[in-house]
């Protein structure tokens, strides 16, 4: 059956995502009170977190989480501090132009490419398309 599904998607002109692509680094959920007969089937994805080690590659994780419904989606990545304004515009543009992006809050946390004892991360919340900086800096205490 898996080969039939792959062939059907291909015949429709779609590229197939590898199974790894839709794995999420960390997810947290809560159970919801459920109607009788639906024991343990009703749960809510509260938080989905993706962390990308490769500088600039966090945009792949951003797009992945754009398609996931959760209370909050968080992407942690690394980029050059001077490029952050441009990266925020790119993140907003990716959400704006995606046909199937799930509405809801997303959080982008960016750190410098080279981590030192004094490294600072910056956090930006995206309600819809416009980023809002949450704090001036987040410091790691290594």
């Amino acid at each position: 059956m898996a080969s039939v599904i792959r062939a059907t998607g291909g015949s429709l002109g779609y590229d197939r995502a590898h199974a790894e692509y839709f794995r999420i680094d960390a997810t947290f959920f809560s159970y919801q009170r459920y109607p009788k007969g639906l024991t343990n089937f009703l749960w809510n994805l509260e938080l989905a977190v993706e962390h990308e080690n490769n500088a600039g590659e966090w945009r792949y994780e951003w797009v992945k989480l754009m398609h996931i419904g959760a209370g909050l989606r968080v992407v942690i990545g690394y980029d050059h501090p001077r490029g952050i304004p441009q990266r925020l515009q790119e993140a907003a543009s990716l959400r704006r132009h995606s046909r199937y992006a799930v509405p809801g809050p997303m959080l982008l946390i960016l750190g410098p490419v080279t981590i030192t004892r004094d490294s600072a991360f910056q956090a930006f919340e995206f309600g819809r398309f416009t980023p809002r900086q949450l704090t001036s800096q987040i410091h790691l205490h290594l």
Side-chain angles (χ1 to χ4, degrees):
M1 183 52 104
S3 62
V4 171
I5 293 169
R6 285 191 297 273
T8 302
S11 70
L12 293 171
Y14 299 130
D15 291 327
R16 184 174 71 90
H18 296 281
E20 161 58 26
Y21 185 76
F22 278 105
R23 289 193 180 120
I24 300 172
D25 291 338
T27 57
F28 301 89
F29 68 94
S30 64
Y31 283 109
Q32 185 174 323
R33 297 192 117 220
Y34 44 85
K36 189 175 181 175
L38 295 179
T39 306
N40 293 333
F41 292 121
L42 192 54
W43 53 272
N44 298 299
L45 183 57
E46 301 291 349
L47 178 62
V49 180
E50 275 291 336
H51 174 255
E52 178 55 55
N53 283 319
N54 296 326
E57 298 292 311
W58 58 266
R59 288 171 282 211
Y60 290 111
E61 310 301 338
W62 182 257
V63 171
K64 178 194 309 187
L65 289 188
M66 283 179 6
H67 294 90
I68 303 295
L72 179 63
R73 295 157 294 169
V74 178
V75 174
I76 304 167
Y78 304 90
D79 222 310
H80 298 282
R82 288 183 307 245
I84 287 180
Q86 171 74 23
R87 299 302 175 251
L88 295 175
Q89 289 177 2
E90 290 172 4
S93 182
L94 287 167
R95 283 190 81 179
R96 188 176 302 109
H97 294 292
S98 174
R99 284 186 295 212
Y100 304 114
V102 176
M106 292 184 75
L107 184 65
L108 176 60
I109 301 173
L110 291 176
V113 173
T114 304
I115 300 293
T116 66
R117 187 170 188 81
D118 299 319
S119 292
F121 285 70
Q122 297 180 61
F124 302 91
E125 178 186 30
F126 287 74
R128 183 157 171 88
F129 304 127
T130 306
R132 178 176 66 93
Q133 188 165 2
L134 295 181
T135 62
S136 57
Q137 295 182 339
I138 302 169
H139 291 278
L140 296 180
H141 300 287
L142 304 175

